[in-house]
Amino acid sequence: MDGAATPGTGDRTADVTNPATGEVTSTVALAAADDVQAAVAAAKAAFPGWRDTSLARRVQVMFRFRELLNERAPELAAIITSEHGKVLSDAAGEVARGQEVVEFACGIPHLLKGGFTENASTQVDVHSVRQPLGPVAIISPFNFPAMVPMWFFPIAIAAGNTVVLKPSEKVPTAANWIAQLWKDAGLPDGVFNVLHGDKVAVDGLLTHPDVKSVSFVGSTPIAKYVYETGTAHGKRVQALGGAKNHMIVLPDADLDLAADQAINAGFGSAGERCMAISACVAVGDIADELVAKIRDRAEALRTGDGTRGCDMGPLVTAASRDRVAGFVDAGEAAGATLVVDGRNPETDADGEGFFVGPTLFDHVTTDMSIYTEEIFGPVLAVLRVDTYDEAVALINANPYGNGTAIFTNDGGAARRFQNEVEVGMIGINVPVPVPMAYYSFGGWKNSLFGDSHAHGTEGVHFFTRGKVVTSRWLDPSHGGINLGFPQNA
Ligand code: NAD
């Protein structure tokens, strides 16, 4: 923080592991309350100087950051794989999607332009500006150590705010690497600060009077808590939560394409994506054929160390692995058909990594825990329904509403779907419909608390507040007293 690494004042630490080997590779010091104070104080002290730095200079720093990240992206991807476990190509993809937001934020002068109305009333002009908030907090989950923070900080910084990022304690190193890159790009000390920690750090940020906004991404119960606590302390909060994403496959769909995409979206990043497909809804009489095609593909996937060119890596911790395996046990016990069993997979990894292989259930019903809970692992549940209407009703009855997809060649059905489904991000023959940086990312219902989605114009709006200026330059003949409410003439 404030341009230098500090050891922190507390004595609590957490282990950081390489999930592919199970080895503890480092420990991270967890912030105490005093460390929260120090991080926010650094951001507060840096704010006036950064806010008053011209847009031209701020944009130069943004472009420099972009260039450095382009040159050094493989280093960041390697860090992500070593602590999260996702395969290297997926980690590189995460960095690239984050970089898109940096590129969007390079256009901040255009995005911050206000409106101007000349002679709104006689000789009265009106204009609007958007100004930064001050120190803002970003609290991120383990599953995207770079991309999720990058949904927020490029826009926050470009708009003139200062940032305290509290990354997940499971994957702390990416945030440190990014902080150094900002320094190398010429960002003044104190504008981007990293605060490592857990609930103590989060609670400190949520209640700190100098923190003006909170951008949170994580599980639904914590997102709700963050939203309620942050707003109760007068802050602007956007809190993105968990998900249960469905893909519908209509009878007219290309089943090979649908099976490929079910695999990619179900098992990519070992299912540890908030946009992962975890429920596949087969409509009509295609289910047997579709399940067979998904089964064949799932059985061919190679699970292993993400640095060695396999398809899928491990889960992030031993606890995650045990939790996911517990769901597989529960699905079997509840009577779902276990088509592919990923417990105890064969891998190429050394040591005791946290692996669960691709797992496929058929004949899943909506009362089973493998359907009702967000598993956050490589477990795909196939549900069978007779009609399109039943499929949409099933999605709309689900408490989450992050992403969904429909697979069909029927344009009319796709058009109905995008209109009727109560979900924030929709894919039509696209299984993981993560919006481009210039659109906004966010779900509905229990997948987002607050009213601003991430990045795009909603992101710019979130990290700025509006002012409207009404001005009149009087000549000496105008004067006199009039206590009436101003009217236009
Ligand atoms: P998490 O909720 O456990 O942790 C998220 C952040 O909150 C971390 O920084 C963590 O340190 C902090 N935290 C954890 N427990 C806390 C507590 N009791 N009080 C205060 N802070 C606490 O989530 P995770 O396991 O790191 O990430 C996975 C979850 O994130 C999944 O549910 C996934 O769907 C969700 N996610 C959602 C999106 C989205 O865009 N909606 C994107 C990525 C991940």
Side-chain angles (χ1 to χ4, degrees):
M1 63 184 73
D2 207 10
T6 58
T9 60
D11 52 10
R12 295 180 312 124
T13 60
D15 287 343
V16 181
T17 47
N18 179 342
T21 62
E23 270 175 292
V24 175
T25 49
S26 62
T27 55
V28 56
L30 301 174
D34 283 351
D35 302 316
V36 181
Q37 295 293 337
V40 177
K44 188 180 181 188
F47 177 60
W50 184 241
R51 174 195 59 201
D52 293 339
T53 299
S54 73
L55 274 170
R57 291 222 167 86
R58 278 193 238 148
V59 164
Q60 282 166 5
V61 176
M62 298 303 302
F63 271 100
R64 183 82 187 116
F65 182 86
R66 175 189 179 274
E67 292 310 307
L68 290 175
L69 186 54
N70 270 354
E71 285 163 21
R72 297 179 52 188
E75 287 173 42
L76 183 54
I79 290 169
I80 293 167
T81 295
S82 70
E83 293 183 352
H84 175 281
K86 64 179 72 176
V87 300
L88 270 176
S89 57
D90 195 32
E94 152 174 10
V95 175
R97 293 306 304 260
Q99 179 77 307
E100 289 173 10
V101 185
V102 177
E103 289 167 355
F104 173 73
C106 285
I108 200 75
H110 181 69
L111 296 164
L112 288 183
K113 278 195 297 193
F116 188 93
T117 306
E118 186 183 49
N119 221 26
S121 188
T122 305
Q123 293 188 18
V124 173
D125 302 329
V126 183
H127 73 275
S128 65
V129 294
R130 295 203 70 84
Q131 297 185 328
L133 307 177
V136 300
I138 298 167
I139 302 163
S140 53
F142 79 83
N143 67 322
F144 284 106
M147 184 188 76
V148 165
M150 290 172 79
W151 282 350
F152 305 107
F153 68 66
I155 297 173
I157 289 174
N161 300 282
T162 54
V163 170
V164 177
L165 168 63
K166 205 300 286 173
S168 167
E169 61 276 35
K170 293 174 187 155
V171 290
T173 306
N176 291 353
W177 190 92
I178 289 168
Q180 183 60 47
L181 204 72
W182 275 122
K183 208 173 163 60
D184 296 347
L187 190 72
D189 291 347
V191 176
F192 180 80
N193 307 279
V194 178
L195 177 71
H196 290 293
D198 55 5
K199 182 172 169 54
V200 172
V202 172
D203 286 347
L205 292 169
L206 294 178
T207 54
H208 199 300
D210 292 333
V211 172
K212 300 302 176 195
S213 74
V214 178
S215 301
F216 172 89
V217 180
S219 58
T220 288
I222 312 295
K224 191 160 185 284
Y225 166 75
V226 164
Y227 182 76
E228 288 170 355
T229 312
T231 52
H233 285 82
K235 300 180 201 323
R236 190 178 278 208
V237 182
Q238 50 182 179
L240 285 68
K244 193 81 188 175
N245 305 313
H246 303 68
M247 71 182 259
I248 293 185
V249 184
L250 294 190
D252 72 301
D254 178 326
L255 295 189
D256 285 306
L257 175 80
D260 284 347
Q261 300 305 342
I263 292 285
N264 297 341
F267 304 130
S269 198
E272 289 176 326
R273 289 182 184 146
C274 64
M275 290 291 275
I277 293 288
S278 50
C280 175
V281 186
V283 179
D285 58 6
I286 55 162
D288 287 343
E289 195 183 344
L290 179 64
V291 169
K293 286 178 186 291
I294 298 174
R295 179 200 60 215
D296 293 348
R297 287 161 169 79
E299 285 175 345
L301 293 177
R302 290 160 304 131
T303 302
D305 186 322
T307 63
R308 296 184 180 174
C310 56
D311 299 305
M312 202 181 90
L315 291 160
V316 68
T317 57
S320 294
R321 178 204 50 210
D322 296 345
R323 184 174 169 277
V324 172
F327 275 113
V328 182
D329 299 343
E332 248 188 329
T337 309
L338 184 55
V339 181
V340 182
D341 184 355
R343 291 169 295 188
N344 308 311
E346 279 191 16
T347 76
D348 65 355
D350 306 324
E352 299 293 319
F354 312 136
F355 292 99
V356 175
T359 300
L360 178 64
F361 276 110
D362 192 6
H363 297 286
V364 175
T365 53
T366 53
D367 55 338
M368 296 176 179
S369 65
I370 51 171
Y371 177 74
T372 56
E373 303 295 319
E374 180 186 39
I375 300 175
F376 225 55
V379 180
L380 182 62
V382 176
L383 296 93
R384 297 173 174 230
V385 299
D386 292 328
T387 64
Y388 162 87
D389 286 323
E390 275 179 73
V392 173
L394 191 146
I395 297 177
N396 286 351
N398 193 282
Y400 296 107
N402 213 40
T404 188
I406 188 168
F407 284 79
T408 181
N409 286 309
D410 178 344
R415 189 165 183 278
R416 256 188 81 187
F417 181 69
Q418 63 188 296
N419 176 258
E420 294 173 349
V421 75
E422 292 170 16
V423 172
M425 294 171 282
I426 321 291
I428 295 174
N429 300 317
V430 172
V432 184
V434 174
M436 298 298 291
Y438 42 89
Y439 285 89
S440 298
F441 181 108
W444 287 15
K445 302 196 280 189
N446 283 352
S447 295
L448 190 144
F449 301 90
D451 54 10
S452 289
H453 292 194
H455 61 69
T457 48
E458 290 194 43
V460 177
H461 203 269
F462 183 82
F463 286 118
T464 55
R465 53 186 169 172
K467 260 184 190 168
V468 180
V469 181
T470 304
S471 57
R472 177 167 59 183
W473 296 93
L474 295 175
D475 63 53
S477 66
H478 288 74
I481 305 289
N482 180 355
L483 272 60
F485 194 69
Q487 293 181 40
N488 300 323

